[in-house]
Amino acid sequence: MKVRNSLRSLKNRHRDCRIVRRKGRVYVINKTQGRFKARQG
């Protein structure tokens, strides 16, 4: 899990990356490649 200021570049790393809002934080999750995870805030 990476913590970044901007998730735009991380979303483009893989085609299955999704941006999700949970508990006031923004996450990038990927169900097929679990290593592409990030959080903002």
Side-chain angles (χ1 to χ4, degrees):
M1 171 87 61
K2 294 186 176 187
V3 180
R4 289 290 175 89
N5 291 330
S6 175
L7 297 180
R8 177 169 295 191
S9 61
L10 296 176
K11 183 175 77 79
N12 296 328
R13 287 169 73 196
H14 195 271
R15 59 184 171 82
D16 291 337
C17 286
R18 300 275 179 260
I19 290 192
V20 191
R21 295 204 61 177
R22 292 178 186 162
K23 299 177 185 172
R25 289 179 174 170
V26 186
Y27 291 91
V28 170
I29 60 170
N30 191 326
K31 291 191 174 169
T32 57
Q33 294 284 331
R35 67 178 187 264
F36 294 114
K37 284 192 291 226
R39 152 172 98 69
Q40 174 180 341

